[in-house]
Amino acid sequence: MHSILSLFIANGGEVLTSPEILIQKASKIRAYLFDWDGVFTDGSKFPDGSSSFSELDSMGVNLLRFGHWLRHAQEYAFVGIMTGEKNPSSITLAQREHFDAVYFRIKNKGEALQHLLQTYNLKPEEVAFVFDDVLDLSVAAVAGLRLMVKRNTAPLFANYVKNKNLADYASANDMHSVREMSELLLGLQGNFEEAVAKRSQFSEEYATYFDGRNQRVTTLYTKENNQIVTISA
C-alpha cells in the first residue's frame, strides 16, 4: 500500500495524515460522496446553471464501484453527489451512472450529510468525501475519509484545511481529480489491477455487477419548507 501512496505523492499529491491511518480509513468505506462544482468540473457554469463533466472521471468512479463490489462480496457501495445548486449535468451523470442520490440546494451540507447517514444507514466513518471549497467543510468535519481537490489559486484555504485537520489527502490535480481520487481509493483497497482487468474484458463478474448497478435508482433530495424532501427530476 505504501508503494501505491508513493506513486501519488510523486505525482504531487499530499498525504495529510499518516499512511497507516489513511489506509485504515480507506478499509472502512461503504459510501462515496462527491461535491460537484470544482470536483467533477472546473467550477465554470453555463448561463442555465449547467456545466460539463469528464468521461475520465466517470470511468474512475465506475472502476471504484466495481472494485468495491468485488472486494465486499457483491455489496454495492452508496454513491452520491452533494451540491449547493441544482446543476442539470450532475443529475444527468448520476442518473446515467445509477448513483444512489443527488442532494442539491441544501445550503448547510452538514444537515444533508446527517439526512444521508440516517436514510442509508451509514456511519460517518464509512463515508469518503471528495470536496474542494468552503461550503463543503461541514461535511469534511464529519466524514471518515476526506479527499480535497487542491488548487494553487487557494493556498490560504488549503492551509486552513490542513491546520484544522479537515482532509486526509490533497490532490495533485485540479482537473480530473475524481479520477485521481478514485484510483487512489481503489489502490488503497487493494484490487485496482483486478478491477481494470475484469472491466476491460467485460468479464462475467463485471456483467453481473453492471446489470445490478443498472437496477439502482437515483433519488433527488432538496430542501423545501425547512425540510429535506425527495423530488422528481
Side-chain angles (χ1 to χ4, degrees):
M1 296 301 179
H2 286 75
S3 62
I4 288 170
L5 282 177
S6 296
L7 287 174
F8 286 87
I9 293 169
N11 197 40
E14 290 186 75
V15 176
L16 304 176
T17 185
S18 74
E20 290 73 21
I21 290 175
L22 184 62
I23 293 165
Q24 182 182 44
K25 285 187 171 190
S27 71
K28 297 178 181 179
I29 299 304
R30 295 179 54 231
Y32 303 96
L33 181 63
F34 301 87
D35 179 39
W36 181 258
D37 292 310
V39 172
F40 276 98
T41 79
D42 65 2
S44 302
K45 291 185 178 180
F46 300 112
D48 66 354
S50 64
S51 55
S52 62
F53 58 84
S54 168
E55 295 294 356
L56 299 176
D57 290 337
S58 176
M59 175 58 77
V61 176
N62 188 45
L63 288 171
L64 176 61
R65 298 168 78 184
F66 180 44
H68 182 102
W69 184 89
L70 289 169
R71 183 177 174 84
H72 294 278
Q74 302 189 1
E75 173 192 84
Y76 287 90
F78 172 93
V79 181
I81 293 169
M82 188 173 289
T83 177
E85 296 297 331
K86 184 176 183 181
N87 190 307
S89 299
S90 67
I91 295 172
T92 295
L93 177 65
Q95 292 180 329
R96 190 193 78 177
E97 296 298 308
H98 298 272
F99 290 4
D100 295 279
V102 177
Y103 284 80
F104 67 93
R105 285 185 182 158
I106 304 173
K107 298 303 181 183
N108 181 354
K109 290 187 177 182
E111 179 184 5
L113 177 64
Q114 291 305 316
H115 180 275
L116 184 158
L117 295 174
Q118 294 170 11
T119 302
Y120 294 94
N121 192 29
L122 291 163
K123 300 174 183 177
E125 60 267 27
E126 295 173 329
V127 178
F129 180 48
V130 181
F131 72 97
D132 77 310
D133 217 336
V134 176
L135 297 182
D136 305 318
L137 295 184
S138 59
V139 178
V142 177
L145 181 58
R146 298 80 47 85
L147 308 168
M148 178 178 68
V149 179
K150 185 178 67 175
R151 291 186 176 81
N152 291 334
T153 53
L156 288 178
F157 178 72
N159 279 340
Y160 179 91
V161 170
K162 294 174 190 178
N163 292 337
K164 298 294 184 181
N165 190 29
L166 292 170
D168 302 292
Y169 177 83
S171 70
N173 304 284
D174 60 6
M175 293 293 293
H176 310 305
S177 52
V178 170
R179 181 60 176 263
E180 178 184 346
M181 303 302 196
S182 296
E183 291 205 6
L184 173 66
L185 289 169
L186 190 50
L188 292 178
Q189 292 170 357
N191 61 346
F192 175 81
E193 291 190 5
E194 179 189 19
V196 169
K198 291 179 177 177
R199 170 64 185 91
S200 63
Q201 298 162 7
F202 212 100
S203 67
E204 183 176 342
E205 284 173 294
Y206 183 77
T208 300
Y209 155 80
F210 189 70
D211 287 344
R213 189 207 77 167
N214 287 352
Q215 301 302 312
R216 302 177 76 82
V217 177
T218 305
T219 304
L220 307 182
Y221 297 98
T222 193
K223 192 167 185 179
E224 295 180 353
N225 299 321
N226 210 35
Q227 290 185 328
I228 296 178
V229 298
T230 61
I231 65 163
S232 57

